[in-house]
Amino acid sequence: MAAEWYHDAVFYELYIRAYQDSNGDGQGDFRGAIQRLDHIKSLGVDCIWVMPHYASPLLDDGYDIADYTAVHPDYGTLNDFKAFLDAAHARGLKVITDLVMNHTSDQHPWFQAARKDPQSPYRNYYVWSDTGTEYADARIIFLDIESSNWTYDPVAGQYFWHRFFSSQPDLNYDNPKVHEEMFNIIRFWLDMGIDGFRVDAIPYLYEREGTNCENLPETHEFLKGMRRMVEEEYPGTLLVAEANQWPEDLLPYFGTRAEPEFPMCFHFPIMPRLYQSLKAQDKRPIVDIWARTPDLAHAPDIPPGAQWMTFLRNHDELTLEMVTPDVRQWMWEQYAPEPQMRLNLGIRRRLAPLLDRDKQKWFLLNAMFLSLPGTPIVYYGDEIGMGDNIWLPDRHGCRTPMQWDDSRNSGFSTAQETYFPVHQEYGEINVAVQEKDPKSFLNLMRFLLKTRQGQLALRRGDFEFVETGLDADSTTAVLAYRRFINPRSVNEHQSVLCLFNLSDRAQKVTMGKDEGTRSWIDLLHPHTKPWHSLNADLGPRAAHWLVEITTH
Ligand code: GLC
């Protein structure tokens, strides 16, 4: 298996506006973020994904771009961006940025020119209709806000197509000029020295009548061409696909050996199932979705180096698009009892409050997340168990200022007023307080990441489920799998047995035959005694990463 750097990496999702304000205007900026890079580094992170930092009217928090080659003035200048990039690189941190290709802001000069003049060469940069009735089979994504994917523009005298907000007209990928523009934008940022892109909303680039306008062959053709260009001109660039799709529809985004697309794709379907399994105390949702997920290292026509990216939370609502309607309803009842906790097909809450701030559940969930195959990404603030503010609109409740200490505005800003209020819990929940507590979320996160990173098998190993025994309860309540480099190897760093009791009651597992002299140490509880048998009682919600040791 080809192991690229991103197979061994931990990622961190950074929202510049929320991180550190350096000039007292109440908005985080690149100069501020530079001051906080040591915190990111201290977590054991290798690569930062910077959320959109471009000039934008911010009607979708920067995912509505008005100028692809300018930094949003709130965040600083191109020079500030470059200084941030250099400072990250100096610490051995890579940086990828968001590439929003599907749409622009309606404030983008292309759209402004297009709507004013049907003869303008920019008219054909967007998708127009006289009736707004085409592509009726395409679903509406922001369905709490939008009622159609078409909006009438009185200036243009036509309807324009948009998969997201009506302030985000979709670009027309049937126009080769659009490809050229995008390629030049990619070149601009790669020339500056970034390490790659998280590519936004890629299933929706093309529209075709009679389809749901997702994952179309034309879209894959374009993406293959994009990868070809990037590989030829900037070899080794990382491209991460944001395609919120079922495993079988995700797979084509890796491309084929002959024509690769993305080296890494977010694994959307596993994410809600981790929460579902935890709440239901039942491993089957996780087991079922992995059964539908091909093993990338051994899949026949997947390009070498293909890797999943896994996550527990991000800047959007916790999406329930990839579960059945029944499960979605159940998840809403369990995790989002208040109406203002729900948005579109998801849950607009942060990690710690979703788990009722229960550290044991948090540890268990993270121990599963960090031992499953895939490169993990941590959302800013979740490393300290930051809370959400469900009274803020849209997805902003999960995007409040980072909580550094208990000083004014949590050490984030000296301004009178910040872009959104700092969470009221910042006096108790902040980095400074947690630095001092060895059992804080922060230090547990560092411990988990370090422990994971110390095991080759957890970073790159193969994966197989392990039977937990015949006890009726434990067959569904205890999740067990092995990550291993070489099936026959007993070398201690080559295989990790991961055991999770999802239930709130003790469970007996009978996984051993006659172990004889074998013993295991538990990486997650390094100060406990070694195990001498795999026939064991697991405590409620216990998590173990077991590594065999040689005894004499
Ligand atoms: C992606 C982003 C989301 C944004 C949308 C439209 O899903 O994660 O925040 O609103 O694309 O660009």
Side-chain angles (χ1 to χ4, degrees), residues 60 63 103 142 164 168 198 200 242 315-316 395 399:
D60 186 10
Y63 284 93
H103 45 266
F142 287 166
F164 296 93
Q168 291 165 298
R198 175 260 190 195
D200 185 70
E242 191 224 10
H315 64 291
D316 288 325
R395 290 148 290 172
R399 302 180 186 176

Side-chain angles (χ1 to χ4, degrees), residues 396-416:
H396 296 295
C398 300
R399 302 180 186 176
T400 56
M402 182 67 182
Q403 295 160 205
W404 296 107
D405 56 43
D406 62 5
S407 70
R408 191 187 152 70
N409 292 328
S410 71
F412 158 72
S413 169
T414 55
Q416 280 299 329

Side-chain angles (χ1 to χ4, degrees), residues 1 3 7-8 455-462 483-485:
M1 162 182 176
H7 286 253
D8 288 320
Q455 297 298 317
L456 190 66
L458 291 181
R459 301 195 313 266
R460 298 193 208 155
D462 284 346
R483 300 291 310 278
F484 56 95
I485 296 294

Side-chain angles (χ1 to χ4, degrees), residues 55 57 65-68 104-117 120-123 125-126 169 171 181:
I65 298 177
D67 182 347
Y68 283 89
T104 68
S105 159
D106 60 6
Q107 300 307 306
H108 195 291
W110 298 339
F111 189 75
Q112 288 303 320
R115 68 196 298 215
K116 284 182 197 130
D117 177 6
S120 155
Y122 294 108
R123 185 75 160 203
Y125 273 37
Y126 296 90
L171 285 164
E181 297 278 8

